[in-house]
Amino acid sequence: MGVTVKASLGKTKYYTEVVAGENKIITDEPLDKGGQNKGFNPFEILATSLASCTAATLRMYIERKEWDVEKINVEVDLENFPLTKRAVFKRDISFEGTNLDDEQLKRLHTIADACPIHKILTNDIEILTKFS
């Protein structure tokens, strides 16, 4: 599956409009980094991708199994260690309005790890850049 996004940054420090198809989001940097904190920063967007993909993947599976789960909560904490070239994603998943047994939770853990963003982040990544 291919995805194209376009980010445009004018003269307003770090205020970036990002467009994908008909959808648009704003990214920015926090005040302490010189931005205006008007949108998610790039690290938050990366963590958001994992959190939202995990939740959607789990919801699809839960619906297919016809399990009664009122709400899925996914919290992702991202720590970046540039000196060691390491990033750590801590993902905490909880469910509301249900009593899932240990076997169901074990299966849902496997499903969470099968989310497409999780797979991308744990595979080899190559970034090809050109200037036009």
Side-chain angles (χ1 to χ4, degrees), residues 48-62 72-74 91 93 95 111-112 115:
T48 297
S49 294
L50 179 59
S52 61
C53 183
T54 299
T57 301
L58 288 169
R59 176 54 71 194
M60 286 179 211
Y61 183 80
I62 287 167
I72 303 163
N73 299 304
V74 181
R91 183 172 56 180
I93 303 169
F95 303 94
I111 297 302
C115 127

Side-chain angles (χ1 to χ4, degrees), residues 14-111:
Y14 313 125
Y15 180 89
T16 307
E17 294 182 359
V18 183
V19 177
E22 296 178 18
N23 299 303
K24 179 172 109 174
I25 60 171
I26 303 302
T27 66
D28 202 351
E29 289 292 339
L31 296 171
D32 65 343
K33 301 262 192 226
Q36 298 176 29
N37 201 34
K38 295 199 181 240
F40 289 108
N41 71 49
F43 292 100
E44 292 167 334
I45 292 290
L46 184 57
T48 297
S49 294
L50 179 59
S52 61
C53 183
T54 299
T57 301
L58 288 169
R59 176 54 71 194
M60 286 179 211
Y61 183 80
I62 287 167
E63 286 179 358
R64 196 167 44 243
K65 289 294 188 177
E66 298 181 352
W67 295 344
D68 186 25
V69 176
E70 187 176 311
K71 191 173 186 181
I72 303 163
N73 299 304
V74 181
E75 182 176 319
V76 173
D77 180 41
L78 168 57
E79 289 188 67
N80 185 39
F81 304 97
L83 293 177
T84 60
K85 296 183 180 182
R86 181 171 166 79
V88 178
F89 290 85
K90 295 177 186 171
R91 183 172 56 180
D92 183 12
I93 303 169
S94 63
F95 303 94
E96 293 181 28
T98 189
N99 288 316
L100 298 169
D101 63 35
D102 288 341
E103 194 59 39
Q104 288 172 310
L105 291 171
K106 182 179 175 185
R107 184 67 187 135
L108 289 171
H109 187 276
T110 301
I111 297 302

